[in-house]
Amino acid sequence: MSKLIPALAFVTTLLVGCAGDSNDSSAGNENQSRELRPADAQLAAIYDRSCRSCHTIAATGSPLTGDTLAWSPRLEKGMPTLLDNVVNGFGGMPPFGMCMDCSAQEFEALITFMASPAKFDSQEASDT
């Protein structure tokens, strides 16, 4: 039983960490968001372990990767504010966005990637 409690706490933290206000405009982009990854292998690894779990699921309320409409009001606040929100946590996002070893430059690159319009190469587009 004592081993079960920390496991439940961890799972609860992950689920609560993604909680936020629902954004219906993002719902249609959920499938596209799941397919997007940064081209840089190191950033892609960080994205997969820290960002993807919330920023590809519309029900979390997180702005979806590639959904420029959802990211626009956030970007208007400026990158320093966005970085501060990542480091300190904001809304349903946990501090450091679940990436305790990320640098400010990596966070900025990840934000820029997620806020950019969804782009698929011609091979991916023909596969869907």
Side-chain angles (χ1 to χ4, degrees):
M1 183 67 167
S2 64
K3 291 181 181 179
L4 183 60
I5 292 172
L8 288 174
F10 176 73
V11 170
T12 301
T13 300
L14 286 177
L15 293 174
V16 172
C18 293
D21 295 331
S22 178
N23 185 344
D24 291 338
S25 70
S26 299
N29 297 327
E30 187 169 343
N31 289 334
Q32 288 179 343
S33 293
R34 289 182 183 162
E35 304 298 322
L36 299 173
R37 294 182 76 231
D40 178 87
Q42 182 181 350
L43 271 181
I46 295 169
Y47 175 78
D48 285 345
R49 75 171 194 258
S50 300
C51 309
R52 187 180 184 129
S53 61
C54 292
H55 289 279
T56 60
I57 301 171
T60 66
S62 302
L64 297 179
T65 300
D67 185 350
T68 56
L69 184 62
W71 279 99
S72 180
R74 291 160 174 90
L75 292 173
E76 289 175 6
K77 296 177 184 178
M79 191 58 73
T81 298
L82 289 173
L83 290 173
D84 183 64
N85 290 345
V86 171
V87 170
N88 295 303
F90 185 80
M93 186 172 65
F96 292 97
M98 298 185 354
C99 185
M100 300 304 174
D101 60 339
C102 285
S103 68
Q105 293 80 14
E106 289 167 325
F107 284 134
E108 186 170 343
L110 288 163
I111 291 167
T112 301
F113 162 74
M114 290 188 290
S116 297
K119 295 178 189 169
F120 299 96
D121 65 29
S122 58
Q123 178 63 35
E124 288 177 52
S126 66
D127 291 343
T128 58

